[in-house]
Amino acid sequence: MLSPSGITFRLKQEAANLFLLATRPGLRAPAQPRPLALLPDPLPVAAALRSSPFAREIVRLADSILGHRIPLLAHTVDTGPRIDWRRDYVHHVSTPPVYFRRIPYLDFARAGDHKVVWEMNRHQHMLLLAQAWLLTSDDRYLARIVSHLESWWEQNHFQRGINWASALEVAFRAISWIWVFHWTGHTMTPGFRSRLLEELYRHGLHLEFNLSVYFSPNTHLLGEAVALHALGVLFPGWPRSSGWRRLGRKHILEQMDRQVLADGFHFELSPYYHLYALDMFVFHHLLEPLPCPRLATLRAMADCLDLVAGPARRLPALGDDDGGRFFHPYGRRERFCRATLATCALLFPGAQWRFDPGDLAEQAAWWLGAQALDQVPGPPCARASRLLPSAGLAVMTSGDLHVLADAGPFGEGNAGHSHADTLSVTARRGDEEILIDAGTFTYVSDPGWRDWFRGTAAHNTIRIAGLDQAVAAGPFRWTQKPAAAVPAWTSNPESDYLAASCSYRGFTHRRRVWLLKSEELLVVCDEIAGPPGGHELEQFWHLATAAAAVRLSLAGAGPPEHSEGGEHGWRSTVFGSKEPAPVICLRRTGALPAVLAAALDLSSAPQPASLTLEPGGVLRWRRGAREFRLPIKENR
């Protein structure tokens, strides 16, 4: 429930919205035909990229858009020659152009999947068209930008319809229009340019009076503040610009202090939302530099991103992945972090974050200028294992081995973007995925699938008595969240060791994880305690491929159950799509306490092995003539 101050704030917002709605015809901004001086000149960037693989991909995607096929999350939607901008093209549902507060956007039956609608209405595809024009001088791309904007204005009058229902989506769209104006504004007719600026000004007014201070004070509020500040800074001649600049800056600095944990990770505890926030802060910093203490926070965020991405620089699917991106939401999702890391590497020259020169084309060149493309990465540095204590994320690494253990709590507040994945583990060797996270798939299109993909059974951890670690209360809320703790963490050249626990509804799951580096072996020991009686325990292992099963040895119960698809064997690599994936479940029913164990061979040539729990608290792993014994009993 909202506090009295929150209620007062919302009442003031609604009064302002009604005033804006009543005075809409008079909401006009003075024209500003000059270039946006704080943003880099795009012409040298386009000239430098013209023959690159990036340019060829941009033109390919832009040609698809010319053919009315727009890339959208896991889909390419065919809109036909006239786009219905309020339509969910995947589920074939449209909403009326009524006052935005009357849109039931969380009701899938009435509004479709709002995520699908909003993703297209962020208008990031128009940046592709603008880039394609800069790269080819083909005026067809400019004509399509004009026709799309004109049809959008016709169908989405100020504060009417689903595309005004989320202030964050208004912010994303405003950022896209800023880039389109900066890159192509000099080609626009005076009348069209004036209309675009007028609509941008109205977006700023909507943001000013609809900031998510109480509703979604997370990346929503941050993104809205970044867009409002950008409008204030880039269009200083507008009547409310100075106020927008101050208000946006105020919220950005406050949210950096609030949303970034002491170890540098974002408080949603999702790498994808961490990336969102980092990109927003970086973009803001380029428009108005952050003060030194907060610049250190920005660098810590980039360091955290590099840490969890690992040697392969792939974004792990921990918590929600909504499929979007602040600037360039195209291509393979797990590679999204590469462009951001490359941009940050240029902002912080002393850092040794690795990047390929090709990573610079997606973001750094357009944000920093063509000179960014002249930069070359420094020598690769050895990565060290590390615990992020506030986030509860343990990264275990050795050479190209990368293990991520989630030993942290759920996210802030309602933990809307958290999954019930405490004590889950993922692992990869170089580019080879081994243990995976199932992903996200959906937010509102199917409540059953939403709950499964964020439920405990979709992660490499223990499910007790068929219960998730918390109780789902709608698509973006958890109740009865578990208590998580990390009593021990050590790391040295020979091994990494993590001891962590997760307690909920009378049960305690204690997991210990060892990465034995010279053996290239990951060992997991689970101890489960709880009330008397018989309880079902399920230890899940989600694999990238069926062939990876040879790496896994299990102990503590009967023969493991193998499946693909069915009740638990699924994976979503892109929001909106799912596919069968192999999963192994070690199941035991009986009294507590109980012990289950697993060993994962991370070597380059894995072979079948056995794992046994021996008397005296010793784990014995054997593969042919190779044998390893690990004492697991502790004095407590």
Side-chain angles (χ1 to χ4, degrees):
M1 294 181 61
L2 282 177
S3 64
S5 60
I7 294 172
T8 301
F9 183 84
R10 289 298 294 268
L11 288 173
K12 289 181 178 179
Q13 278 190 330
E14 295 317 307
N17 283 324
L18 292 174
F19 175 78
L20 290 175
L21 193 65
T23 59
R24 182 182 68 85
L27 303 179
R28 301 182 183 276
Q32 179 178 322
R34 66 177 180 79
L36 305 181
L38 291 175
L39 299 178
D41 184 349
L43 295 180
V45 178
L49 291 174
R50 193 154 285 138
S51 60
S52 69
F54 173 81
R56 290 192 290 272
E57 180 63 7
I58 289 293
V59 171
R60 184 189 71 80
L61 290 169
D63 286 345
S64 176
I65 296 168
L66 290 181
H68 310 293
R69 296 181 302 276
I70 297 180
L72 188 67
L73 301 171
H75 314 278
T76 298
V77 299
D78 191 337
T79 66
R82 178 175 170 80
I83 298 177
D84 180 349
W85 292 103
R86 300 187 305 276
R87 184 170 182 79
D88 171 357
Y89 275 93
V90 176
H91 302 98
H92 313 294
V93 180
S94 295
T95 50
V98 298
Y99 183 58
F100 73 102
R101 292 295 193 205
R102 295 175 56 197
I103 299 294
Y105 61 87
L106 289 177
D107 186 337
F108 177 74
R110 298 169 64 190
D113 190 337
H114 64 273
K115 173 65 182 170
V116 174
V117 180
W118 287 345
E119 193 70 26
M120 186 165 71
N121 284 271
R122 291 179 173 185
H123 286 183
Q124 291 171 313
H125 72 277
M126 293 189 190
L127 274 66
L128 288 178
L129 293 170
Q131 288 171 325
W133 174 76
L134 288 166
L135 292 164
T136 66
S137 301
D138 188 334
D139 288 342
R140 292 179 303 158
Y141 303 121
L142 292 180
R144 188 51 48 88
I145 291 173
V146 170
S147 67
H148 279 189
L149 284 173
E150 288 179 335
S151 70
W152 194 92
W153 297 331
E154 177 187 348
Q155 297 176 37
N156 297 272
H157 293 169
F158 182 61
Q159 293 195 325
R160 293 188 177 275
I162 191 171
N163 294 314
W164 294 94
S166 167
L168 178 63
E169 301 310 313
V170 175
F172 266 101
R173 190 163 52 250
I175 293 291
S176 294
W177 291 0
I178 286 171
W179 284 112
V180 167
F181 176 77
H182 177 58
W183 291 342
T184 71
H186 62 287
T187 71
M188 297 173 181
T189 65
F192 184 84
R193 184 189 304 118
S194 177
R195 179 67 187 275
L196 174 57
L197 292 172
E198 177 181 306
E199 296 294 341
L200 260 177
Y201 183 68
R202 291 175 177 175
H203 275 54
L205 288 170
H206 184 86
L207 288 172
E208 178 184 359
F209 295 110
N210 288 281
L211 294 173
S212 300
V213 174
Y214 289 92
F215 177 67
S216 296
N218 45 33
T219 48
H220 282 243
L221 177 56
L222 175 59
E224 295 155 15
V226 166
L228 187 65
H229 173 270
L231 288 168
V233 168
L234 296 172
F235 299 93
W238 287 352
R240 303 187 72 85
S241 291
S242 60
W244 290 352
R245 178 176 186 167
R246 289 193 303 270
L247 182 60
R249 177 74 165 187
K250 168 182 174 292
H251 282 297
I252 290 164
L253 298 182
E254 288 177 354
Q255 293 311 306
M256 176 171 270
D257 293 342
R258 176 175 172 267
Q259 294 188 27
V260 184
L261 303 176
D263 55 25
F265 209 75
H266 188 258
F267 74 167
E268 292 276 18
L269 302 181
S270 156
Y272 273 83
Y273 280 86
H274 180 89
L275 178 63
Y276 258 138
L278 178 55
D279 276 340
M280 292 173 184
F281 285 130
V282 168
F283 179 73
H284 172 74
H285 171 67
L286 295 176
L287 295 183
E288 185 171 350
L290 292 164
C292 286
R294 291 178 173 105
L295 196 57
T297 299
L298 192 67
R299 178 167 180 158
M301 290 186 74
D303 200 38
C304 285
L305 181 63
D306 179 69
L307 182 72
V308 299
R313 291 169 295 134
R314 293 175 182 259
L315 200 60
L318 181 70
D320 272 346
D321 154 24
D322 83 343
R325 198 177 182 188
F326 185 66
F327 184 68
H328 185 82
Y330 306 100
R332 292 166 55 186
R333 266 62 183 170
E334 77 276 10
R335 295 171 61 96
F336 276 2
C337 65
R338 292 190 173 194
T340 301
L341 285 172
T343 306
C344 290
L346 302 190
L347 287 179
F348 300 101
Q352 293 184 301
W353 304 314
R354 182 180 165 201
F355 68 90
D356 292 332
D359 298 338
L360 299 166
E362 283 188 12
Q363 179 174 297
W366 304 98
W367 287 18
L368 302 176
Q371 69 275 10
L373 296 170
D374 298 329
Q375 306 301 311
V376 294
C381 59
R383 296 174 183 272
S385 300
R386 184 177 159 196
L387 173 71
L388 298 176
S390 300
L393 296 177
V395 176
M396 302 177 173
T397 186
S398 177
D400 63 352
L401 300 181
H402 187 256
V403 176
L404 180 62
D406 177 8
F410 281 37
E412 179 75 7
N414 292 330
H417 293 301
S418 291
H419 290 189
D421 58 1
T422 304
L423 306 191
S424 181
V425 177
T426 60
R428 67 182 313 118
R429 181 186 179 95
D431 286 332
E432 179 192 359
E433 293 183 297
I434 301 172
L435 292 179
I436 63 169
D437 186 292
T440 299
F441 177 54
T442 186
Y443 282 166
V444 301
S445 65
D446 189 309
W449 281 116
R450 171 61 170 160
D451 287 345
W452 184 83
F453 271 93
R454 62 178 178 153
T456 301
H459 302 90
N460 301 315
T461 188
I462 295 280
R463 185 169 73 167
I464 307 171
L467 300 172
D468 285 330
Q469 295 167 345
V471 177
F476 300 108
R477 185 168 180 252
W478 291 102
T479 62
Q480 301 181 43
K481 294 185 290 185
V486 179
W489 162 258
T490 60
S491 178
N492 58 57
E494 289 74 39
S495 66
D496 296 329
Y497 170 68
L498 171 74
S501 65
C502 176
S503 300
Y504 56 101
R505 288 183 271 185
F507 297 99
T508 295
H509 170 203
R510 185 169 182 265
R511 169 164 280 188
R512 286 177 288 156
V513 183
W514 294 263
L515 176 62
L516 308 173
K517 298 176 183 179
S518 61
E519 301 286 337
E520 295 186 309
L521 188 67
L522 184 73
V523 179
V524 176
C525 180
D526 291 314
E527 298 173 85
I528 303 94
H535 302 283
E536 181 183 57
L537 308 177
E538 298 164 291
Q539 186 189 63
F540 290 99
W541 299 104
H542 296 267
L543 305 173
T545 64
V550 72
R551 295 180 177 275
L552 192 63
S553 308
L554 304 173
E561 303 167 11
H562 295 243
S563 64
E564 185 165 333
E567 183 182 7
H568 295 305
W570 295 93
R571 184 184 190 187
S572 174
T573 57
V574 182
F575 189 99
S577 73
K578 68 180 190 302
E579 59 193 31
V583 60
I584 298 175
C585 178
L586 186 64
R587 195 184 309 269
R588 170 175 174 164
T589 301
L592 301 179
V595 178
L596 301 175
L600 188 72
D601 185 348
L602 296 172
S603 67
S604 59
Q607 297 175 14
S610 64
L611 183 70
T612 54
L613 281 165
E614 297 188 342
V618 174
L619 270 177
R620 181 186 182 197
W621 180 80
R622 174 183 288 178
R623 190 188 76 181
R626 184 180 170 203
E627 182 176 297
F628 187 84
R629 291 172 180 264
L630 180 68
I632 61 171
K633 188 173 182 179
E634 290 183 338
N635 295 322
R636 300 190 210 165

